[in-house]
Amino acid sequence: MSERLSAATHDDEPDAPPSKTPARCTWAYSAGDAMPAYHDEEWGKPCHDSRDLFERLCLEGLQAGLSWSTILNKRERLRTVFHEFEPERVAAMDDEVPVLMADPGIIRNRRKIEAIIHNAQLVNTMKTVGESFDSYLWSFVDGKVRVNRPADASAIPPSNPTSTAMSKAMKTRGFKFVGPTIMYAFMQSVGMVNDHVQGCFLCPQNG
């Protein structure tokens, strides 16, 4: 989730989690029911589905400057207007930008909306030439999950050398909203890195 998500952008995060089981990363207790479910069911679990990977990339780009709870609260509407984040369909949405900008149920930021469509076109191009989006992204970690077991949220960096390298490579390809911090949060989201803190029931204990 990176420091930007677990601390910096979660201004609604409580000082301490409520007494409940199971124990989770502190940020997962904030902003109602959506956050615990996201933490338990998605965050840090390896994802290899190209559509899901594209959705996570879009959501992380949309989150820049906003709280993650805002994104989760708008996620279902975003899925609807962006055709479940199917890259091939999103790639053909250039003419729909004015309609999207008028939709109060999504993040109405023209640069971010245009970036989603543009990035979909790049992902679609990769597919047409036989290049796997999944294989490309996971190549930055050699296809292996990196387990960090941070002591607490303060030990989680906002970016790392791998996210910086991924950002640079993707920018070279033309991708937008893929800065090092965004890409580290993406890596956490799709399980390339496991940053569940010690004490969280999802933190790997061995190996």
Side-chain angles (χ1 to χ4, degrees):
M1 170 118 347
S2 86
E3 188 176 24
R4 73 179 176 91
L5 201 153
S6 60
T9 64
H10 285 278
D11 52 10
D12 51 359
E13 182 178 331
D15 292 333
S19 177
K20 61 192 300 185
T21 302
R24 298 182 174 96
C25 299
T26 305
W27 60 263
Y29 292 98
S30 61
D33 294 337
M35 203 73 79
Y38 173 72
H39 170 274
D40 295 358
E41 299 167 15
E42 297 183 69
W43 195 70
K45 293 188 177 182
C47 173
H48 289 281
D49 179 84
S50 290
R51 190 213 65 81
D52 288 343
L53 289 167
F54 178 65
E55 177 181 349
R56 307 289 183 89
L57 181 65
C58 293
L59 295 180
E60 293 298 342
L62 287 169
Q63 190 270 334
L66 302 172
S67 70
W68 188 245
S69 60
T70 296
I71 302 303
L72 289 182
N73 289 336
K74 294 179 179 290
R75 190 177 190 180
E76 289 308 313
R77 181 59 184 166
L78 287 163
R79 283 174 167 169
T80 297
V81 300
F82 285 109
H83 307 294
E84 301 297 323
F85 291 100
E86 291 287 351
E88 186 172 351
R89 299 184 68 184
V90 177
M93 292 181 67
D94 281 318
D95 294 339
E96 299 182 42
V97 173
V99 176
L100 294 169
M101 286 294 297
D103 192 325
I106 68 170
I107 307 300
R108 291 184 289 180
N109 179 303
R110 182 176 290 275
R111 289 181 61 237
K112 292 180 179 180
I113 290 171
E114 291 177 343
I116 287 174
I117 297 170
H118 174 78
N119 289 347
Q121 293 166 350
L122 295 178
V123 173
N124 198 42
T125 297
M126 292 174 68
K127 182 179 179 180
T128 60
V129 299
E131 186 175 8
S132 167
F133 189 49
D134 168 48
S135 296
Y136 171 70
L137 293 171
W138 278 85
S139 69
F140 289 94
V141 291
D142 298 322
K144 300 177 181 178
V145 178
R146 298 182 178 179
V147 179
N148 293 326
R149 302 183 189 85
D152 52 43
S154 67
I156 302 175
S159 62
N160 71 357
T162 303
S163 74
T164 299
M166 186 185 298
S167 171
K168 182 177 180 180
M170 293 185 74
K171 286 180 179 179
T172 298
R173 284 177 173 251
F175 283 92
K176 299 179 180 180
F177 279 91
V178 290
T181 300
I182 289 175
M183 294 317 299
Y184 190 72
F186 171 80
M187 290 171 64
Q188 293 173 307
S189 171
V190 303
M192 292 181 183
V193 294
N194 185 316
D195 273 340
H196 286 286
V197 301
Q198 296 175 29
C200 173
F201 81 102
L202 289 172
C203 179
Q205 300 302 309
N206 302 300

